[in-house]
């Protein structure tokens, strides 16, 4: 499946959120949950693991929880999540459990990606829910944010 103009607009917002995270010293990852048909944003988040001292404070986790609170339902079949980096196993499991209809992401994560790089959790036919996967949306911008952040941590080496 290919990305829509709305998907790209939401990824642009996710990148803005990722930049906010990076400015706070967090790994720059951002996520937006929106209604697939209308484009109404239901939840946003960026990484807050360091700020909150919480290993579960991933961008996707925070955006999905906000969307569930906004909709008053844990089932988000009618929603899409746009996230700058391929979700990890924890977040991919949350996506399945929240019944998100679509996953749009930027950069692949060869070390922890659970959508297609290492695992295929969100599309695994053995699970009770599968999400449509749209990888590589604004991938270079997403990857550049991460590269620049980690280069800065290493002192520019």
């Amino acid at each position: 499946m290919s990305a829509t103009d709305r998907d790209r607009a939401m990824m642009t917002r996710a990148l803005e959120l990722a930049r906010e995270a990076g400015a706070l010293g967090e790994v720059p990852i951002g996520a937006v949950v929106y209604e697939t048909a209308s484009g109404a944003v239901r939840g946003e988040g960026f990484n807050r693991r360091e700020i909150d001292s919480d290993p579960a404070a991933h961008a996707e986790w925070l955006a999905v929880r906000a969307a569930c609170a906004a909709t008053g339902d844990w089932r988000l079949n009618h929603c899409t999540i746009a996230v700058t980096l391929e979700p990890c196993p924890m977040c991919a499991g949350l996506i399945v459990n929240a019944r998100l209809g679509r996953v749009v992401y930027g950069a692949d994560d060869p070390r922890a990606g659970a959508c297609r790089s290492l695992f295929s959790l969100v599309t695994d036919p053995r699970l009770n829910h599968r999400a449509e996967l749209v990888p590589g949306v604004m991938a270079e911008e997403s990857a550049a944010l991460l590269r620049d952040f980690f280069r800065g941590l290493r002192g520019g080496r």
Side-chain angles (χ1 to χ4, degrees), residues 60-139:
E60 303 95 319
W61 199 270
L62 299 173
V64 168
R65 290 191 72 196
C68 291
T71 62
D73 196 355
W74 62 269
R75 294 172 198 85
L76 300 174
N77 309 65
H78 62 292
C79 292
T80 297
I81 187 168
V83 58
T84 57
L85 182 66
E86 179 182 4
C88 71
M90 177 183 75
C91 292
L94 176 68
I95 287 164
V96 169
N97 281 296
R99 312 291 197 266
L100 276 149
R102 297 173 70 239
V103 178
V104 174
Y105 75 83
D108 285 328
D109 186 352
R111 293 188 177 141
C115 291
R116 74 174 187 172
S117 294
L118 289 180
F119 307 104
S120 299
L121 290 177
V122 301
T123 58
D124 192 318
R126 297 170 296 180
L127 298 177
N128 64 335
H129 175 77
R130 284 160 296 290
E132 179 184 318
L133 189 60
V134 184
V137 177
M138 301 175 77

Side-chain angles (χ1 to χ4, degrees), residues 9-83:
M10 295 300 171
M11 185 61 73
T12 297
R13 176 61 184 145
L15 284 161
E16 291 170 3
L17 292 164
R19 287 184 195 94
E20 279 187 58
L24 294 170
E26 293 281 352
V27 175
I29 301 170
V32 179
V33 175
Y34 55 99
E35 291 187 11
T36 304
S38 71
V41 173
R42 295 298 175 215
E44 296 183 336
F46 57 78
N47 271 14
R48 295 183 53 94
R49 292 189 319 167
E50 300 297 330
I51 293 167
D52 294 347
S53 297
D54 182 354
H58 289 204
E60 303 95 319
W61 199 270
L62 299 173
V64 168
R65 290 191 72 196
C68 291
T71 62
D73 196 355
W74 62 269
R75 294 172 198 85
L76 300 174
N77 309 65
H78 62 292
C79 292
T80 297
I81 187 168
V83 58

